[in-house]
Short mmCIF file of all heavy atoms in Angstrom, two decimals:
data_model
loop_
_atom_site.label_atom_id
_atom_site.label_comp_id
_atom_site.label_asym_id
_atom_site.label_seq_id
_atom_site.Cartn_x
_atom_site.Cartn_y
_atom_site.Cartn_z
N GLY A 1 113.57 98.47 96.30
CA GLY A 1 114.14 97.44 97.14
C GLY A 1 113.90 96.02 96.67
O GLY A 1 114.37 95.07 97.31
N GLY A 2 113.17 95.84 95.58
CA GLY A 2 112.97 94.49 95.08
C GLY A 2 114.26 93.90 94.53
O GLY A 2 115.28 94.60 94.40
N GLY A 3 114.22 92.61 94.23
CA GLY A 3 115.41 91.98 93.68
C GLY A 3 115.28 90.49 93.63
O GLY A 3 114.19 89.93 93.83
N LEU A 4 116.40 89.83 93.37
CA LEU A 4 116.48 88.38 93.28
C LEU A 4 117.17 87.84 94.52
O LEU A 4 118.30 88.26 94.84
CB LEU A 4 117.26 87.98 92.03
CG LEU A 4 117.59 86.50 91.86
CD1 LEU A 4 116.33 85.67 91.74
CD2 LEU A 4 118.51 86.29 90.65
N VAL A 5 116.50 86.93 95.22
CA VAL A 5 117.06 86.32 96.41
C VAL A 5 116.82 84.82 96.36
O VAL A 5 116.05 84.34 95.52
CB VAL A 5 116.45 86.90 97.71
CG1 VAL A 5 116.76 88.38 97.84
CG2 VAL A 5 114.96 86.66 97.75
N GLN A 6 117.45 84.10 97.28
CA GLN A 6 117.25 82.67 97.37
C GLN A 6 116.20 82.35 98.43
O GLN A 6 115.96 83.15 99.35
CB GLN A 6 118.56 81.97 97.71
CG GLN A 6 119.61 82.07 96.60
CD GLN A 6 120.85 81.24 96.91
OE1 GLN A 6 121.17 80.99 98.07
NE2 GLN A 6 121.54 80.81 95.86
N ALA A 7 115.62 81.19 98.31
CA ALA A 7 114.65 80.74 99.31
C ALA A 7 115.29 80.74 100.69
O ALA A 7 116.44 80.33 100.85
CB ALA A 7 114.15 79.35 98.96
N GLY A 8 114.53 81.27 101.66
CA GLY A 8 115.03 81.38 103.02
C GLY A 8 115.66 82.72 103.34
O GLY A 8 115.85 83.05 104.52
N ASP A 9 115.95 83.50 102.32
CA ASP A 9 116.56 84.81 102.53
C ASP A 9 115.51 85.82 102.99
O ASP A 9 114.30 85.56 102.99
CB ASP A 9 117.21 85.32 101.24
CG ASP A 9 118.52 84.63 100.95
OD1 ASP A 9 119.00 83.86 101.81
OD2 ASP A 9 119.06 84.84 99.85
N SER A 10 116.01 87.00 103.34
CA SER A 10 115.16 88.13 103.72
C SER A 10 115.35 89.28 102.75
O SER A 10 116.42 89.41 102.14
CB SER A 10 115.48 88.60 105.15
OG SER A 10 115.23 87.58 106.09
N LEU A 11 114.33 90.11 102.66
CA LEU A 11 114.39 91.26 101.77
C LEU A 11 113.41 92.30 102.29
O LEU A 11 112.34 91.95 102.81
CB LEU A 11 114.01 90.86 100.35
CG LEU A 11 114.17 91.88 99.24
CD1 LEU A 11 115.66 92.16 98.99
CD2 LEU A 11 113.52 91.37 97.95
N SER A 12 113.75 93.56 102.15
CA SER A 12 112.84 94.63 102.51
C SER A 12 112.53 95.49 101.29
O SER A 12 113.44 95.78 100.51
CB SER A 12 113.45 95.52 103.60
OG SER A 12 113.51 94.84 104.83
N VAL A 13 111.28 95.83 101.14
CA VAL A 13 110.88 96.78 100.10
C VAL A 13 110.30 98.02 100.77
O VAL A 13 109.74 97.93 101.87
CB VAL A 13 109.89 96.16 99.10
CG1 VAL A 13 110.58 95.11 98.24
CG2 VAL A 13 108.69 95.56 99.81
N SER A 14 110.46 99.14 100.10
CA SER A 14 110.01 100.42 100.64
C SER A 14 109.08 101.11 99.66
O SER A 14 109.12 100.84 98.46
CB SER A 14 111.21 101.33 100.92
OG SER A 14 112.12 100.74 101.79
N CYS A 15 108.28 102.01 100.19
CA CYS A 15 107.38 102.79 99.35
C CYS A 15 107.39 104.23 99.87
O CYS A 15 106.91 104.50 100.97
CB CYS A 15 105.98 102.22 99.40
SG CYS A 15 104.73 103.21 98.57
N ALA A 16 107.95 105.11 99.08
CA ALA A 16 108.00 106.52 99.43
C ALA A 16 106.80 107.24 98.82
O ALA A 16 106.48 107.02 97.65
CB ALA A 16 109.29 107.14 98.93
N THR A 17 106.14 108.06 99.61
CA THR A 17 104.94 108.74 99.12
C THR A 17 105.13 110.26 99.12
O THR A 17 105.94 110.79 99.89
CB THR A 17 103.73 108.40 99.99
OG1 THR A 17 103.86 109.04 101.25
CG2 THR A 17 103.61 106.90 100.20
N SER A 18 104.36 110.91 98.30
CA SER A 18 104.39 112.38 98.26
C SER A 18 103.05 112.87 97.76
O SER A 18 102.29 112.14 97.13
CB SER A 18 105.50 112.88 97.34
OG SER A 18 105.28 112.44 96.02
N GLY A 19 102.74 114.10 98.06
CA GLY A 19 101.56 114.73 97.49
C GLY A 19 100.32 114.71 98.33
O GLY A 19 99.31 115.21 97.91
N ARG A 20 100.35 114.13 99.52
CA ARG A 20 99.19 114.16 100.39
C ARG A 20 99.65 113.93 101.83
O ARG A 20 100.81 113.71 102.08
CB ARG A 20 98.15 113.13 100.00
CG ARG A 20 98.59 111.69 100.18
CD ARG A 20 97.43 110.74 100.02
NE ARG A 20 96.60 110.72 101.22
CZ ARG A 20 95.40 111.22 101.26
NH1 ARG A 20 94.88 111.80 100.20
NH2 ARG A 20 94.68 111.16 102.36
N THR A 21 98.70 113.98 102.74
CA THR A 21 99.01 113.77 104.14
C THR A 21 99.17 112.29 104.40
O THR A 21 98.20 111.56 104.58
CB THR A 21 97.93 114.37 105.05
OG1 THR A 21 97.76 115.74 104.72
CG2 THR A 21 98.33 114.24 106.51
N PHE A 22 100.40 111.84 104.44
CA PHE A 22 100.69 110.42 104.58
C PHE A 22 100.17 109.88 105.89
O PHE A 22 99.65 108.76 105.94
CB PHE A 22 102.21 110.23 104.48
CG PHE A 22 102.67 108.82 104.72
CD1 PHE A 22 102.52 107.86 103.73
CD2 PHE A 22 103.27 108.46 105.92
CE1 PHE A 22 102.96 106.56 103.94
CE2 PHE A 22 103.70 107.17 106.14
CZ PHE A 22 103.55 106.22 105.14
N SER A 23 100.27 110.67 106.94
CA SER A 23 99.92 110.17 108.27
C SER A 23 98.44 109.86 108.42
O SER A 23 98.05 109.20 109.38
CB SER A 23 100.35 111.18 109.32
OG SER A 23 99.69 112.42 109.12
N SER A 24 97.59 110.32 107.52
CA SER A 24 96.15 110.04 107.60
C SER A 24 95.73 108.91 106.67
O SER A 24 94.55 108.58 106.59
CB SER A 24 95.35 111.29 107.28
OG SER A 24 95.56 111.69 105.94
N SER A 25 96.69 108.33 105.97
CA SER A 25 96.40 107.29 104.98
C SER A 25 96.62 105.90 105.54
O SER A 25 97.66 105.63 106.15
CB SER A 25 97.29 107.46 103.75
OG SER A 25 97.04 108.70 103.11
N ALA A 26 95.67 105.01 105.29
CA ALA A 26 95.94 103.59 105.47
C ALA A 26 96.82 103.14 104.31
O ALA A 26 96.67 103.62 103.18
CB ALA A 26 94.65 102.80 105.49
#
């Protein structure tokens, strides 16, 4: 989700996980 934006804009980045119990992780 990264990219190039202008000042004042909005952007969202995501992180997909696998291989462990995600719900118990900070």
Side-chain angles (χ1 to χ4, degrees):
L4 172 62
V5 297
Q6 293 186 334
D9 284 353
S10 298
L11 187 69
S12 290
V13 290
S14 303
C15 173
T17 71
S18 62
R20 66 169 283 110
T21 305
F22 175 77
S23 60
S24 65
S25 298

